[in-house]
Amino acid sequence: MTTPDLKPILVFDSGIGGLTVLREARVLMPERHFIYVADDAGFPYGGWEEAALKERVVSLFARLLAEHDPEICIIACNTAFTLVGADLRAAFPDMRFVGTVPAIKPAAERTRSGLVSVLATPGTVKRAYTRGLIQSFASQCHVRLVGSENLARMAEAYIRGETVGDTDVLAEIGQCFVEQDGAKTDIVVLACTHYPFMVNVFRRLAPWPVDWLDPAEAIARQARRLVSPTDDFEPLIGEDPAIFTSGNPDFATRRLMQGFGLTVR
Ligand code: DGL
Protein backbone atom coordinates (compact mmCIF):
# COMPACT_ATOMS: atom_id res chain seq x y z
CA MET A 1 0.00 0.00 0.00
CA THR A 2 1.21 3.49 -0.73
CA THR A 3 0.26 6.44 1.40
CA PRO A 4 -0.52 9.24 -1.06
CA ASP A 5 -3.55 10.50 0.86
CA LEU A 6 -1.84 11.27 4.13
CA LYS A 7 -1.68 14.94 4.83
CA PRO A 8 1.69 16.40 5.81
CA ILE A 9 2.71 17.50 9.28
CA LEU A 10 3.74 21.11 9.64
CA VAL A 11 6.68 21.85 11.96
CA PHE A 12 7.13 25.48 12.92
CA ASP A 13 9.88 27.50 14.61
CA SER A 14 11.31 31.00 14.41
CA GLY A 15 14.47 29.53 12.90
CA ILE A 16 16.25 26.22 12.58
CA GLY A 17 15.73 25.04 16.18
CA GLY A 18 12.62 23.10 15.20
CA LEU A 19 14.86 20.70 13.30
CA THR A 20 15.74 19.13 16.67
CA VAL A 21 12.07 18.17 16.93
CA LEU A 22 11.67 17.26 13.25
CA ARG A 23 14.44 14.66 13.44
CA GLU A 24 12.62 12.85 16.29
CA ALA A 25 9.25 13.17 14.56
CA ARG A 26 10.66 11.58 11.41
CA VAL A 27 11.82 8.53 13.38
CA LEU A 28 8.35 7.99 14.84
CA MET A 29 6.38 8.83 11.67
CA PRO A 30 8.39 7.51 8.72
CA GLU A 31 5.25 7.32 6.60
CA ARG A 32 4.61 11.06 6.79
CA HIS A 33 5.68 14.03 4.78
CA PHE A 34 6.66 17.11 6.74
CA ILE A 35 6.65 20.80 5.92
CA TYR A 36 9.22 22.78 7.84
CA VAL A 37 8.46 26.47 8.38
CA ALA A 38 11.01 28.90 9.81
CA ASP A 39 9.85 32.46 10.47
CA ASP A 40 13.40 33.67 9.97
CA ALA A 41 12.14 37.12 8.98
CA GLY A 42 11.01 37.45 12.61
CA PHE A 43 13.98 35.65 14.23
CA PRO A 44 14.84 35.79 17.07
CA TYR A 45 11.44 35.68 18.81
CA GLY A 46 13.05 36.00 22.26
CA GLY A 47 13.02 39.80 22.35
CA TRP A 48 9.61 40.47 20.73
CA GLU A 49 6.92 42.46 22.46
CA GLU A 50 4.13 39.97 23.33
CA ALA A 51 1.12 41.52 21.55
CA ALA A 52 3.05 42.04 18.31
CA LEU A 53 4.39 38.48 18.33
CA LYS A 54 0.92 37.05 18.93
CA GLU A 55 -0.49 38.95 16.00
CA ARG A 56 2.39 37.94 13.75
CA VAL A 57 2.17 34.22 14.49
CA VAL A 58 -1.63 33.98 14.26
CA SER A 59 -1.75 35.77 10.90
CA LEU A 60 1.15 33.70 9.60
CA PHE A 61 -0.77 30.54 10.49
CA ALA A 62 -3.88 31.75 8.70
CA ARG A 63 -1.79 31.74 5.50
CA LEU A 64 0.11 28.51 6.25
CA LEU A 65 -3.02 26.48 7.00
CA ALA A 66 -4.83 27.74 3.92
CA GLU A 67 -1.85 26.97 1.69
CA HIS A 68 -0.68 23.62 3.05
CA ASP A 69 -3.67 21.99 4.75
CA PRO A 70 -1.58 19.93 7.20
CA GLU A 71 -2.99 17.13 9.38
CA ILE A 72 -1.47 18.60 12.53
CA CYS A 73 0.98 21.38 13.42
CA ILE A 74 3.91 21.03 15.76
CA ILE A 75 4.89 24.37 17.25
CA ALA A 76 8.54 23.50 17.86
CA CYS A 77 9.25 26.78 19.63
CA ASN A 78 8.85 27.45 23.35
CA THR A 79 8.96 31.21 22.84
CA ALA A 80 6.02 31.09 20.44
CA PHE A 81 3.91 28.38 22.02
CA THR A 82 4.03 29.65 25.61
CA LEU A 83 2.60 32.91 24.28
CA VAL A 84 0.44 32.05 21.29
CA GLY A 85 -0.60 28.41 21.86
CA ALA A 86 -4.04 29.27 23.26
CA ASP A 87 -4.67 31.93 20.58
CA LEU A 88 -3.78 29.49 17.79
CA ARG A 89 -6.17 26.89 19.17
CA ALA A 90 -8.92 29.50 19.51
CA ALA A 91 -8.35 30.96 16.03
CA PHE A 92 -8.16 27.56 14.27
CA PRO A 93 -10.41 25.20 16.25
CA ASP A 94 -10.32 22.50 13.55
CA MET A 95 -6.54 22.19 13.63
CA ARG A 96 -4.60 20.25 16.26
CA PHE A 97 -1.51 21.97 17.59
CA VAL A 98 1.22 20.08 19.44
CA GLY A 99 3.06 22.52 21.63
CA THR A 100 6.50 22.89 23.09
CA VAL A 101 6.73 24.17 26.65
CA PRO A 102 9.64 24.13 29.13
CA ALA A 103 10.04 20.57 30.51
CA ILE A 104 9.66 21.75 34.12
CA LYS A 105 7.38 18.91 35.21
CA PRO A 106 9.73 16.06 34.21
CA ALA A 107 12.68 17.99 35.62
CA ALA A 108 10.92 18.38 38.98
CA GLU A 109 10.13 14.66 39.00
CA ARG A 110 13.71 13.66 38.27
CA THR A 111 15.86 16.06 40.24
CA ARG A 112 17.62 14.65 43.28
CA SER A 113 19.16 17.86 44.55
CA GLY A 114 15.97 19.91 44.15
CA LEU A 115 17.92 22.53 42.17
CA VAL A 116 16.70 22.84 38.59
CA SER A 117 17.55 25.48 36.00
CA VAL A 118 15.57 26.44 32.93
CA LEU A 119 17.65 27.77 30.06
CA ALA A 120 15.41 29.66 27.63
CA THR A 121 14.98 32.84 25.61
CA PRO A 122 14.14 36.05 27.52
CA GLY A 123 10.59 35.76 26.12
CA THR A 124 9.97 32.26 27.52
CA VAL A 125 11.43 33.21 30.89
CA LYS A 126 9.01 36.09 31.37
CA ARG A 127 5.87 34.25 30.24
CA ALA A 128 3.02 33.74 32.70
CA TYR A 129 2.79 30.22 31.22
CA THR A 130 6.29 29.36 32.44
CA ARG A 131 5.61 30.74 35.93
CA GLY A 132 2.42 28.68 35.97
CA LEU A 133 4.35 25.49 35.18
CA ILE A 134 6.69 26.15 38.09
CA GLN A 135 3.80 26.81 40.48
CA SER A 136 1.87 23.74 39.38
CA PHE A 137 4.67 21.20 39.12
CA ALA A 138 7.85 22.39 40.80
CA SER A 139 6.85 24.29 43.91
CA GLN A 140 8.98 21.92 46.01
CA CYS A 141 12.09 22.73 43.91
CA HIS A 142 14.34 25.71 43.60
CA VAL A 143 13.94 26.69 39.95
CA ARG A 144 16.30 29.20 38.42
CA LEU A 145 15.12 30.80 35.18
CA VAL A 146 17.98 31.79 32.90
CA GLY A 147 16.96 33.97 29.96
CA SER A 148 19.69 34.04 27.35
CA GLU A 149 19.83 36.96 24.93
CA ASN A 150 22.27 35.40 22.50
CA LEU A 151 22.18 31.63 22.65
CA ALA A 152 19.58 31.03 19.92
CA ARG A 153 21.67 33.10 17.50
CA MET A 154 24.82 31.30 18.61
CA ALA A 155 23.16 27.93 18.04
CA GLU A 156 22.19 29.02 14.51
CA ALA A 157 25.78 30.06 13.81
CA TYR A 158 27.19 26.88 15.36
CA ILE A 159 24.98 24.51 13.40
CA ARG A 160 25.84 26.36 10.18
CA GLY A 161 29.49 25.60 10.87
CA GLU A 162 30.68 28.96 12.22
CA THR A 163 33.00 29.18 15.21
CA VAL A 164 31.40 30.06 18.52
CA GLY A 165 33.77 30.99 21.37
CA ASP A 166 33.75 29.00 24.61
CA THR A 167 33.83 32.16 26.72
CA ASP A 168 30.76 33.51 24.94
CA VAL A 169 28.83 30.28 25.47
CA LEU A 170 29.85 30.07 29.10
CA ALA A 171 28.64 33.64 29.65
CA GLU A 172 25.16 32.48 28.53
CA ILE A 173 24.94 29.19 30.45
CA GLY A 174 26.99 29.98 33.59
CA GLN A 175 23.96 31.22 35.53
CA CYS A 176 22.40 27.76 35.30
CA PHE A 177 24.83 26.34 37.83
CA VAL A 178 23.70 26.96 41.38
CA GLU A 179 25.29 25.72 44.61
CA GLN A 180 23.16 26.08 47.70
CA ASP A 181 23.54 24.52 51.17
CA GLY A 182 25.89 21.87 49.84
CA ALA A 183 23.54 20.93 46.96
CA LYS A 184 24.14 21.60 43.28
CA THR A 185 21.93 22.00 40.21
CA ASP A 186 21.53 18.57 38.67
CA ILE A 187 19.10 19.27 35.79
CA VAL A 188 19.11 22.01 33.18
CA VAL A 189 15.97 22.17 31.04
CA LEU A 190 16.73 23.07 27.42
CA ALA A 191 13.68 25.29 26.97
CA CYS A 192 14.50 26.54 23.50
CA THR A 193 14.55 24.10 20.61
CA HIS A 194 17.76 25.62 19.28
CA TYR A 195 19.81 24.62 22.30
CA PRO A 196 20.04 20.82 21.86
CA PHE A 197 22.26 21.51 18.82
CA MET A 198 24.88 22.81 21.24
CA VAL A 199 24.49 20.34 24.06
CA ASN A 200 27.91 18.79 23.49
CA VAL A 201 29.50 22.19 23.92
CA PHE A 202 27.42 22.81 27.06
CA ARG A 203 28.54 19.46 28.47
CA ARG A 204 32.17 20.24 27.86
CA LEU A 205 31.95 23.69 29.45
CA ALA A 206 29.74 22.82 32.42
CA PRO A 207 31.45 23.26 35.81
CA TRP A 208 29.94 19.91 36.87
CA PRO A 209 27.90 17.24 35.10
CA VAL A 210 24.14 17.80 34.90
CA ASP A 211 21.27 16.22 33.01
CA TRP A 212 20.42 18.42 29.99
CA LEU A 213 16.72 17.84 29.40
CA ASP A 214 15.67 17.95 25.73
CA PRO A 215 11.91 17.48 25.22
CA ALA A 216 12.12 16.77 21.45
CA GLU A 217 11.34 13.07 21.71
CA ALA A 218 8.37 13.65 24.03
CA ILE A 219 6.96 16.24 21.60
CA ALA A 220 7.33 13.80 18.72
CA ARG A 221 5.58 11.09 20.73
CA GLN A 222 2.70 13.44 21.44
CA ALA A 223 2.41 14.22 17.72
CA ARG A 224 2.49 10.50 16.90
CA ARG A 225 -0.47 9.94 19.22
CA LEU A 226 -2.52 12.56 17.38
CA VAL A 227 -2.09 11.42 13.78
CA SER A 228 -3.97 8.48 12.35
CA PRO A 229 -1.92 5.30 12.68
CA THR A 230 -0.71 3.63 9.48
CA ASP A 231 1.15 0.35 9.85
CA ASP A 232 1.24 -0.51 6.20
CA PHE A 233 3.24 1.97 4.14
CA GLU A 234 6.01 2.25 1.63
CA PRO A 235 9.09 4.34 2.35
CA LEU A 236 8.67 7.90 1.15
CA ILE A 237 10.53 9.09 -1.89
CA GLY A 238 11.52 12.70 -2.41
CA GLU A 239 12.38 15.53 -0.12
CA ASP A 240 10.10 17.60 2.06
CA PRO A 241 9.77 21.36 1.64
CA ALA A 242 11.24 23.99 3.94
CA ILE A 243 9.75 27.47 3.89
CA PHE A 244 11.63 30.51 5.15
CA THR A 245 9.53 33.63 5.63
CA SER A 246 12.47 35.81 4.54
CA GLY A 247 12.27 34.00 1.20
CA ASN A 248 16.03 34.07 1.14
CA PRO A 249 17.98 31.80 3.49
CA ASP A 250 21.75 31.84 2.95
CA PHE A 251 23.81 29.09 1.37
CA ALA A 252 24.85 27.47 4.67
CA THR A 253 21.20 27.28 5.75
CA ARG A 254 20.15 25.71 2.44
CA ARG A 255 22.90 23.12 2.81
CA LEU A 256 21.82 22.39 6.37
CA MET A 257 18.24 21.88 5.18
CA GLN A 258 19.46 19.45 2.55
CA GLY A 259 21.17 17.46 5.29
CA PHE A 260 17.78 17.14 6.97
CA GLY A 261 16.12 15.99 3.72
CA LEU A 262 14.45 19.35 3.16
CA THR A 263 14.39 21.49 0.04
CA VAL A 264 14.03 25.23 0.43
CA ARG A 265 11.09 26.54 -1.55
N1 DGL B 1 13.59 27.99 19.09
C1 DGL B 1 12.82 28.95 19.82
C2 DGL B 1 12.33 28.35 21.15
O1 DGL B 1 12.17 27.16 21.29
C3 DGL B 1 13.34 30.33 20.06
C4 DGL B 1 14.42 30.98 19.32
C5 DGL B 1 14.18 32.49 19.17
O2 DGL B 1 13.51 32.85 18.23
O3 DGL B 1 14.63 33.28 20.01
O4 DGL B 1 12.08 29.06 22.08
Side-chain angles (χ1 to χ4, degrees), residues 13-15 17-18 42-47 76-80 100 121 124 152 191-194:
D13 183 33
S14 56
F43 178 85
Y45 276 0
C77 178
N78 296 262
T79 315
T100 306
T121 67
T124 300
C192 167
T193 51
H194 280 70

Side-chain angles (χ1 to χ4, degrees), residues 54-63 65-66 73 75 81 83-97:
K54 265 191 194 181
E55 204 184 304
R56 179 182 182 88
V57 175
V58 173
S59 56
L60 183 56
F61 266 85
R63 289 206 302 279
L65 298 187
C73 296
I75 309 299
F81 191 79
L83 179 71
V84 195
D87 298 70
L88 285 173
R89 285 178 175 148
F92 311 106
D94 296 333
M95 178 51 57
R96 278 157 316 158
F97 292 93

Side-chain angles (χ1 to χ4, degrees), residues 1-231:
M1 185 188 136
T2 52
T3 51
D5 297 335
L6 294 179
K7 288 182 179 184
I9 296 173
L10 192 148
V11 179
F12 175 81
D13 183 33
S14 56
I16 59 184
L19 295 173
T20 61
V21 177
L22 175 71
R23 67 184 169 192
E24 299 294 337
R26 278 237 178 89
V27 173
L28 296 184
M29 293 172 275
E31 77 283 13
R32 294 281 163 166
H33 276 298
F34 289 84
I35 299 170
Y36 188 79
V37 181
D39 183 13
D40 63 329
F43 178 85
Y45 276 0
W48 273 71
E49 194 270 313
E50 293 195 343
L53 185 57
K54 265 191 194 181
E55 204 184 304
R56 179 182 182 88
V57 175
V58 173
S59 56
L60 183 56
F61 266 85
R63 289 206 302 279
L64 289 171
L65 298 187
E67 260 172 53
H68 303 288
D69 188 27
E71 180 162 351
I72 61 166
C73 296
I74 303 177
I75 309 299
C77 178
N78 296 262
T79 315
F81 191 79
T82 52
L83 179 71
V84 195
D87 298 70
L88 285 173
R89 285 178 175 148
F92 311 106
D94 296 333
M95 178 51 57
R96 278 157 316 158
F97 292 93
V98 178
T100 306
V101 302
I104 289 166
K105 184 169 184 258
E109 285 163 1
R110 269 184 233 177
T111 179
R112 294 158 85 89
S113 70
L115 300 184
V116 168
S117 291
V118 177
L119 184 60
T121 67
T124 300
V125 160
K126 65 170 194 247
R127 300 277 185 259
Y129 195 115
T130 305
R131 311 272 159 172
L133 288 175
I134 296 172
Q135 257 169 27
S136 309
F137 302 112
S139 53
Q140 75 287 11
C141 300
H142 176 272
V143 180
R144 172 172 285 184
L145 292 170
V146 180
S148 165
E149 290 284 345
N150 304 307
L151 214 45
R153 267 189 223 282
M154 283 183 189
E156 294 240 339
Y158 179 77
I159 196 68
R160 287 192 190 107
E162 293 163 33
T163 309
V164 175
D166 285 356
T167 326
D168 296 336
V169 177
L170 204 48
E172 304 294 319
I173 67 169
Q175 293 280 311
C176 294
F177 294 86
V178 179
E179 274 189 281
Q180 200 174 279
D181 305 326
K184 289 177 172 179
T185 303
D186 61 354
I187 300 193
V188 178
V189 176
L190 296 172
C192 167
T193 51
H194 280 70
Y195 301 166
F197 279 133
M198 295 193 79
V199 75
N200 286 340
V201 181
F202 299 166
R203 274 202 190 98
R204 179 168 57 74
L205 298 175
W208 59 79
V210 294
D211 212 355
W212 299 92
L213 211 63
D214 173 6
E217 196 198 325
I219 299 161
R221 265 190 272 117
Q222 173 62 7
R224 167 82 277 177
R225 279 193 284 271
L226 291 185
V227 299
S228 3
T230 325
D231 293 332

